[in-house]
Structure formats: C-alpha cells, structure tokens
Amino acid sequence: MRRRGVTVVLGALITALLAVGVMAAPLPYVVLKPGPTVNTLGSDNGAEVIQVTEAKTTTSAGQLRLTTVNVQSQVELVWAVSSWLKSSDAVVPRELIYPPDRTEKQVEQQNAEEWTASQDSAITVALTKLGYPVQTVVAKVGDGSAATGILKAGDVITAVDGTKVTDPGKLTELVRAKPAGTALTIAYTRGGKPATAKVTTKAAEDKVPRLGIEIDTKQNAPFKVSIDLDKIGGPSAGLMFTLGIMDKLEPADLTGGKIIAGTGTIDNDGNVGPIGGIPQKLVGAKKAGAQIFLVPKGNCAEAARNAVDGLPMAEVATVDDALTALKTFTGGGTPKPCSAE
C-alpha cells in the first residue's frame, strides 16, 4: 500500500509538472491587442506630435487620433486561452507577423522604415493639398550628357513639350515616350525665373532615352514640418498624420470639436491603403472616446464584421474622401459608411 501510495503521488506530481511545462511552453502564435491611440494634434511626452516651424499654426477644439495594435510575441498556452476568450484580442499564427525567413529585429527594422516613409508621404500630401506641390529638381548634370551646358543643378523642371511635370516619375515617363535623339522642350525655373531649352536625348547602354541628369524633389513651402513620435512602427498612421498637418496649418478646424479616429497608409498621390489589426484599432478608438472612425476602403468589409457599438465608420479611399467625411460628419450629416460586402 505504501508503494502504491508513493506511486500515485509521484504520478500526480509528474502529471502536474508536465501540465505546467505545457502551459509555459511558447506557442507558434502571437496575440493582437488594442493598442494606445495618439492625438496627432496634441503632444506626446511633452513634445508636440506635429511640429511646424516658421509658420503660424491653429488650435482645434477636437482631436485626430491615430490608432495602434499591440503585438504580444511570446505566447504561452494560458495566455492564448485567455485571449481566445476576449472578443477584443486575436490569436494569429506567428508567421503572419514574423515570417520564418526574418527575425523579430528585422521585422521591427522594416516597421521603423515604413513609419518614417509614412511621415514623409503625409507631409508631401498635406503640403500639396495646401498649395505647395512637389517640385522636380535637378540635383546633378552628368558630364557629357544630353543636358550638359543646358540645365544646371537647382533647376526646377516644370514641363516637357508642354506637358506638366508633377513628379520625377512623370518626367521619366515623358522623356521615354519618344525615341533617343528627340529634341525635347524642357520648361524649368532657375532662381525663380521661368525659362525653356531644347535638350536632345541620348540613349544609354540599355537604349533608353535619357536627359543625363540626377533628380531630387522638394516642396517649396516657407516653413518646415516634422513629426516627433517614437515607439510606434509601420505605415498605418499616414492618413491621420496627413489630416493632422492640414488641420494645424489651415484656419478651419477639421475636427469640428469632435474626436476623430482612423487608420490607413498614404502614398504621395493621396491614396489611402489598407492595414492590419482593424478590429483591435476599432476597440482602442472606442476606449479613447472616438465619435467616428475613418476606415480604408480595403478594410471596410472586415471593419463592418467587427463593428463596435456606438462607433460609426466612414469609408475612405483617398485623403479627399477623408476630408469630405469630416466635413459631412462635423456638419451633422452621415458620411459614406462601411459595408460588409
């Protein structure tokens, strides 16, 4: 009997230890949780999120809040079970966030780079909307190139054969539209004075017609805009940064005294792209007191399936859509809603 008793006790102890080991073992999953929201019109750690120098800014009565998702990367069984039981959390395969061929550090580095790029695009779009479009500037003229002795570093190229140059991509398109050896009429400004010149393109080794110049871009705004916000990564704050910059520089209050939340990437043309973690961002926005949520068109079906009571959603595909939605909502109307289709 004593031996049996010892055996039973040892068996129970081993079972308990095995259970503890299973509960503590890391799983190939991560947990997505609602993250903090940040008012782009406010401050973070004592510093303004959007900073403008050498220009007068305005103060709005409401808020424009970007939304985030917290990722719990080390998940044990007990945490997985707990999160499965919470409607606000999502347990997803680890490889969706951290691909097998990349380390966590590499993913975080990419997120940081996308975060910086989203800020640059937000500034570009906001300033363009405010009347300071991107300028295509000659950074360098190659020795012996088609443009040698004609164009100079610092020249702002405005048109090719009468077609407006809106960005470097457009310049490349116009130059390559005609065969090498074609004399193109290049319109440009030098020292603020407009001029035109004929430049005959030359073929490179790849037989592509070129002007033989290196290009840079700038926005000729008489002020500087920067964004000071750390510990957040990825490109999904682009839309809210764009709206925040415009609100600070425009006399009108885009918020109408309301708390506006949203998400979405932004490209240099003002298009709003889809993001991940929309269910968690909706929950975070509601907790922050948001009265409406701006949803990228590409996320609308998912957002509609995960709607949060008391938080209306507006579908936006461009920054113009977002501005229209804000004007409609703050004026007492109903913006275009998200649908589940």
Side-chain angles (χ1 to χ4, degrees):
M1 292 296 295
R2 290 180 180 177
R3 289 181 179 177
R4 288 183 181 178
V6 171
T7 301
V8 170
V9 170
L10 286 175
L13 179 59
I14 291 172
T15 300
L17 290 173
L18 289 173
V20 170
V22 169
M23 295 294 284
L27 300 177
Y29 294 92
V30 298
V31 176
L32 307 182
K33 297 174 175 288
T37 69
V38 178
N39 178 21
T40 61
L41 302 177
S43 300
D44 182 69
N45 293 325
E48 286 187 285
V49 174
I50 296 174
Q51 301 176 358
V52 181
T53 57
E54 300 180 19
K56 183 179 180 181
T57 58
T58 60
T59 301
S60 295
Q63 301 175 16
L64 291 169
R65 304 194 75 89
L66 63 85
T67 51
T68 67
V69 176
N70 278 340
V71 179
Q72 181 181 338
S73 60
Q74 298 298 320
V75 180
E76 299 168 0
L77 183 58
V78 64
W79 291 109
V81 172
S82 175
S83 296
W84 269 318
L85 298 176
K86 291 183 180 179
S87 59
S88 62
D89 294 357
V91 181
V92 301
R94 182 181 179 82
E95 63 186 19
L96 293 181
I97 307 299
Y98 301 106
D101 60 341
R102 308 189 69 192
T103 65
E104 282 192 34
K105 187 174 182 179
Q106 289 174 324
V107 171
E108 291 170 359
Q109 178 62 34
Q110 179 181 343
N111 286 339
E113 292 171 356
E114 291 177 341
W115 175 249
T116 300
S118 74
Q119 295 177 21
D120 293 340
S121 292
I123 293 171
T124 294
V125 173
L127 294 188
T128 298
K129 289 292 179 183
L130 293 171
Y132 304 100
V134 173
Q135 295 181 325
T136 301
V137 183
V138 177
K140 181 181 178 181
V141 178
D143 294 336
S145 70
T148 299
I150 303 173
L151 297 176
K152 294 182 178 181
D155 289 348
V156 177
I157 299 179
T158 57
V160 175
D161 284 347
T163 300
K164 187 176 180 180
V165 172
T166 54
D167 55 52
K170 186 64 176 180
L171 174 62
T172 299
E173 174 189 328
L174 293 171
V175 171
R176 294 184 179 182
K178 297 179 180 179
T182 301
L184 303 176
T185 300
I186 308 296
Y188 62 95
T189 59
R190 180 178 296 167
K193 296 180 180 180
T196 60
K198 289 284 187 180
V199 179
T200 301
T201 59
K202 292 183 178 181
E205 292 181 0
D206 55 8
K207 299 183 180 180
V208 174
R210 302 180 189 277
L211 296 177
I213 58 177
E214 294 181 14
I215 290 297
D216 200 355
T217 60
K218 71 174 183 178
Q219 285 177 293
N220 195 27
F223 51 81
K224 182 181 179 181
V225 178
S226 60
I227 295 172
D228 185 2
L229 186 61
D230 296 325
K231 298 180 181 179
I232 298 177
S236 66
L239 172 63
M240 300 311 291
F241 279 142
T242 303
L243 296 175
I245 294 166
M246 295 183 67
D247 190 82
K248 296 199 78 165
L249 288 167
E250 283 189 328
D253 181 351
L254 296 181
T255 71
K258 308 291 186 179
I259 300 178
I260 315 294
T263 189
T265 65
I266 198 82
D267 65 18
N268 287 347
D269 294 321
N271 298 308
V272 177
I275 49 75
I278 195 73
Q280 289 70 44
K281 290 183 176 183
L282 289 170
V283 172
K286 179 62 177 177
K287 288 181 179 179
Q291 295 165 278
I292 192 170
F293 195 99
L294 304 179
V295 182
K297 183 177 181 179
N299 288 119
C300 259
E302 181 185 12
R305 293 193 300 269
N306 293 274
V308 174
D309 290 341
L311 182 63
M313 297 177 287
E315 175 187 300
V316 297
T318 66
V319 68
D320 286 337
D321 289 345
L323 293 170
T324 298
L326 291 183
K327 184 176 181 180
T328 301
F329 181 69
T330 57
T334 302
K336 182 181 180 180
C338 274
S339 67
E341 299 179 357

